[in-house]
Amino acid sequence: MSPLSSQRRRIVVGVGGGIAAYKACGVIRHFTEAGDDVRVVPTESALQFVGRATFEALSGNPVHTGVFADVPEVPHVRLGQEADLVVVAPATADLLARVAAGRADDLLTATLLTARCPVVFAPAMHTEMWEHPATVENVATLRRRGVTVIEPASGRLTGKDTGPGRLPEPDEIAAIAELLAERGDALPRSLDGRRLVISAGGTREPLDPVRFLGNRSSGKQGYALARVAAQRGAEVTLISGYTADLAPPSAVSVVSVRTAQEMQSAVREAAARADAVVMAAAVADFRPATVATSKIKKGADEPDTVPLTRNDDILAGLVAARAEGDLPADLVIVGFAAETGDENGDVLTHARAKLERKKCDLLVVNAVGEGKAFEMDVNDGWILSADGSETALEHGSKALMASRVLDAVTPLLTPTIGRPAADGECTNTGSSH
Ligand SMILES: Cc1cc2nc3c(=O)[nH]c(=O)nc-3n(C[C@H](O)[C@H](O)[C@H](O)COP(=O)(O)O)c2cc1C
C-alpha cells in the first residue's frame, strides 16, 4: 500500500517494560515499511528499556505513556477506536494482568479497552512467570475474549537461564499479526492439546557427493501451516526438507531431513503419536537408482543417462498404514497437490483423480506454473474432501491459506471428550519446544 494512500492502515504497537522491548523496534519497522500509520504506545516501564526518541523516530509520530497528554485529542479513546490492528510486544506478566483485569491506568491499557480491531499480544517473561497460575489464567481470560496471545518461544532468557518465555523474533510476530489483519478476527484455539505433524520443503536425492535431484519448493506453505497450527494451540512437529532461507516458526519442534526416504521415516514415526498429518512437502517421486561414491567425471566413463528408481508414496503409505491398524484409526491425513492443466483435463479434474487414488481425508490443491505457488508469498486453490465437498480457497497469503486448511482439519478431529489426555496438555507450556 502506498504511504500516501488514504487507505493507510492504523496500527498501534504497544510495548511493555521487559528486556525484549528493543525487539519492538523490528515490529514497528515492519509496519512503517508496509506504509502503515504506526502509533507506538509504550508503558512507563518500557521507556526504562528503549527511549521515547527511538519510538518517535521509527514511527514518525509522537509517543505518550499516560492519558493526560494531548487531552483535547482524547487519545485514550481515539487510538483504540481508530486502530485497524493492535500488536503488543513484548507483553509483560504485569501488562497481561492489568489488561485481563480491565484496568485503564495508562494510555496502553485504555487503548486496549477501546480497541475493537484484532489484538495480538506477544508475551515475554521468565518461565516461572509464564507458568504461574496467575499468568496462565490471565492468558486464558484474554483468549476467551477473542484476543490472540502468541505462544512464546523457548530459549535464552534475561540471565543465564533458558526455557519458554522468550519473545519470538519481530518477523514472526509480524507474520502472525498480518494474518490477524487479513482474517479480521482472532485465531481460534481449536487445536489446543492436539498433535500435528506437518511436512515442508523439498527433498534432495543424491546422484553423487556433490549433485542431487531437487525441486523448487520454498517450504513457505508448510512453515506457515506449522506457525499457524502452533498459534492455534497444537503441539507441532515440522518435518522439514530443504527450504528457502526460512526461520523456524517459534513453539514448533523441527526435524530436518534430506531425502524422500528420510522424510518417510520421520513422518511415519511422528504420525504414530499424532492427531493429524499435513503433507505439504514436495517429495521427489524418483531418486537416482545408484549414488556414486565419488564425483562423476566428464570423459570416457561419463553416463549417457541417469537411471531412476521410484520413491515410496508417503501419503499413500500413511493411508495404507492407517487402514492396516499400524497408525491410529482416527488420524486425519491431508495431502497437497501441485497440479497443472493439460490435454487430459484441468487442475481440478486431475486433483479429483488424485484424491480418489490417494484416499486421504483432504487434498489441498494449488495450480502451479509460472508465477504461481512455488516460491511465492501468496497462494490460492481448493480443498477437496473425501466426502465429496470442494471449497475454493480465496487468494491470499500462505498464512491465510494455512489458516483455512486448519479450519477444514478441525471438524475431522475426534472429539477430545473421553480420549486419554496427551502429556503436558492444558498449560502454557503445551507446545513443544
Ligand atoms: C531488567 C529487567 C527486565 C525485566 N524483564 C521483564 C520481562 O521480560 N517480562 C516481564 O514480564 N517483566 C519484566 N520485568 C519486570 C517489569 O519491568 C515490571 O513488572 C514492570 O512493572 C512492568 O510494567 P509494564 O507491564 O507496565 O510494562 C523486568 C524488570 C527488569 C528490571
Side-chain angles (χ1 to χ4, degrees):
M1 196 178 299
S2 150
L4 298 176
S5 156
S6 59
Q7 297 298 306
R8 282 175 87 192
R9 297 184 303 182
R10 279 174 289 215
I11 311 288
V12 172
V13 177
V15 187
I19 196 81
Y22 70 96
K23 286 192 186 173
C25 299
V27 177
I28 297 162
R29 191 170 281 284
H30 166 89
F31 290 109
T32 53
E33 284 181 0
D36 299 321
D37 180 19
V38 180
R39 295 297 302 254
V40 183
V41 187
T43 63
E44 202 49 45
S45 307
L47 296 184
Q48 296 283 335
F49 295 87
V50 179
R52 185 189 307 267
T54 302
F55 293 138
E56 291 190 334
L58 284 177
S59 66
N61 275 316
V63 166
H64 304 293
T65 57
V67 293
F68 295 108
D70 206 8
V71 171
E73 293 293 318
V74 281
H76 73 290
V77 288
R78 288 267 299 272
L79 282 178
Q81 284 172 337
E82 294 177 354
D84 296 306
L85 177 69
V86 180
V87 185
V88 182
T92 57
D94 174 68
L95 188 53
L96 293 171
R98 287 193 290 133
V99 179
R103 300 285 301 265
D105 51 358
D106 62 9
L107 187 57
L108 180 52
T109 48
T111 299
L112 286 159
L113 271 186
T114 51
R116 294 294 174 270
C117 58
V119 174
V120 56
F121 284 85
M125 64 200 71
H126 272 84
T127 306
E128 291 83 352
M129 292 173 106
W130 174 244
E131 292 179 348
H132 193 283
T135 307
V136 171
E137 276 178 34
N138 290 331
V139 168
T141 299
L142 292 172
R143 284 180 173 154
R144 220 176 26 252
R145 291 182 193 150
V147 168
T148 296
V149 183
I150 294 181
E151 293 292 336
S154 192
R156 188 78 184 263
L157 302 169
T158 317
K160 288 188 175 145
D161 41 353
T162 60
R166 207 178 137 81
L167 189 72
E169 293 309 308
D171 285 351
E172 177 82 2
I173 297 169
I176 296 162
E178 287 291 359
L179 171 61
L180 291 188
E182 213 176 350
R183 280 180 65 102
D185 61 4
L187 281 181
R189 299 282 300 179
S190 58
L191 298 172
D192 253 327
R194 301 296 193 165
R195 290 181 173 145
L196 261 70
V197 177
I198 294 166
S199 72
T203 59
R204 288 183 183 174
E205 310 300 321
L207 177 59
D208 68 16
V210 294
R211 302 185 182 93
F212 57 82
L213 291 182
N215 62 60
R216 290 173 53 199
S217 171
S218 65
K220 287 180 180 175
Q221 185 61 71
Y223 273 53
L225 276 157
R227 172 177 294 118
V228 177
Q231 298 306 333
R232 289 176 72 155
E235 185 183 317
V236 179
T237 304
L238 174 63
I239 316 271
S240 178
Y242 293 88
T243 66
D245 189 19
L246 301 182
S250 69
V252 163
S253 302
V254 182
V255 178
S256 296
V257 297
R258 292 168 295 187
T259 63
Q261 287 171 304
E262 284 183 11
M263 181 160 283
Q264 181 178 32
S265 33
V267 168
R268 279 296 292 273
E269 192 186 326
R273 289 169 279 110
D275 294 288
V277 180
V278 183
M279 286 293 302
V283 183
D285 291 329
F286 304 99
R287 65 178 182 276
T290 54
V291 182
T293 51
S294 56
K295 186 180 172 193
I296 300 168
K297 303 269 190 312
K298 288 185 272 193
D301 293 336
E302 72 186 36
D304 294 332
T305 56
V306 177
L308 298 176
T309 188
R310 202 188 262 219
N311 283 322
D312 287 348
D313 182 328
I314 303 178
L315 186 62
L318 289 171
V319 173
R322 181 179 63 179
E324 288 156 15
D326 294 335
L327 286 174
D330 57 358
L331 176 71
V332 176
I333 301 175
V334 182
F336 265 69
E339 296 286 349
T340 57
D342 58 23
E343 63 282 3
N344 296 318
D346 62 8
V347 170
L348 267 178
T349 313
H350 290 301
R352 286 179 193 124
K354 185 164 184 174
L355 178 63
E356 183 62 33
R357 271 196 322 277
K358 304 261 177 168
K359 304 213 176 327
C360 51
D361 302 302
L362 298 174
L363 188 71
V364 185
V365 186
N366 299 134
V368 293
E370 219 31 63
K372 290 198 119 183
F374 282 124
E375 297 157 357
M376 307 292 285
D377 291 321
V378 288
N379 219 349
D380 55 42
W382 298 266
I383 300 179
L384 308 189
S385 170
D387 69 10
S389 60
E390 298 184 356
T391 311
L393 293 167
E394 70 214 79
H395 188 72
S397 70
K398 288 187 172 175
L400 183 67
M401 180 137 167
S403 195
R404 299 284 180 243
V405 170
L406 295 170
D407 285 343
V409 168
T410 304
L412 303 182
L413 297 167
T414 307
T416 43
I417 299 155
R419 282 169 83 238
D423 301 340
E425 266 180 22
C426 302
T427 74
N428 275 349
T429 50
S431 292
S432 81
H433 303 278

